Amino acid sequence: MGDFWDPAGAGVLRLPSGRLVRGRGLRKPLPPGSVPVFAVYLLGKTPPEVEWESRWLRWPDFRLPSDRAQAREILREAWERAEAERVELACAGGRGRTGTALACLAVIDGVPADEAVAYVRANYDSHAVETPWQKRYVARFSA
């Protein structure tokens, strides 16, 4: 099918459908091994240049996406592409915005919205989704 992430790799979330998505903090070095085919950068400022296809979703630190409709569209694209491609979601630290976006992917994948934060915390990072408004955003997110 595609060239997937190592499911045992650091920061790789396995969604219930089997799709694998890597979450990452851009403050840390690029992990060894395969690079993404497609990435979504969740930042308040222009992301760094990369050699792979990427989208920038304007998302200030500790906040929510600036454009919610665009966020839904880009996250759906990431979810669709994760079926056959290496997809990465990343913010500066890899927890708040990245965790929130991963939880939204879990909702798209069929996890009930009120369970998605717990799913990401159990399967990606126990500190994912840092603020009450990020948690509320996930609970109200609809695929």
Side-chain angles (χ1 to χ4, degrees):
M1 185 86 167
D3 184 13
F4 295 98
W5 296 117
D6 174 3
V12 176
L13 174 68
R14 179 184 292 278
L15 294 167
S17 65
R19 286 171 168 88
L20 301 173
V21 180
R22 182 171 75 187
R24 181 165 81 88
L26 294 172
R27 284 192 291 246
K28 299 173 189 156
L30 187 66
S34 300
V35 297
V37 171
F38 178 73
V40 178
Y41 296 111
L42 315 158
L43 299 168
K45 61 182 182 181
T46 307
E49 291 286 326
V50 292
E51 297 174 13
W52 44 86
E53 186 180 354
S54 66
R55 302 269 185 280
W56 172 32
L57 181 55
R58 186 182 296 275
W59 192 328
D61 202 7
F62 296 106
R63 308 257 180 203
L64 297 175
S66 298
D67 183 331
R68 311 274 169 89
Q70 180 192 38
R72 188 174 291 108
E73 187 179 299
I74 289 173
L75 293 174
R76 173 151 298 275
E77 179 182 6
W79 177 81
E80 288 171 356
R81 293 183 72 161
E83 184 174 18
E85 297 175 353
R86 289 183 312 277
V87 172
E88 171 179 88
L89 300 181
C91 64
R95 287 187 167 171
R97 293 168 284 182
T98 297
T100 302
L102 288 170
C104 292
L105 289 189
V107 172
I108 294 169
D109 205 62
V111 175
D114 62 345
E115 298 173 19
V117 170
Y119 181 86
V120 169
R121 286 178 174 169
N123 295 288
Y124 169 68
D125 185 313
S126 61
H127 300 287
V129 190
E130 295 176 316
T131 68
W133 42 91
Q134 288 172 339
K135 191 173 182 182
R136 191 168 45 248
Y137 176 75
V138 174
R140 294 178 179 168
F141 188 82
S142 60

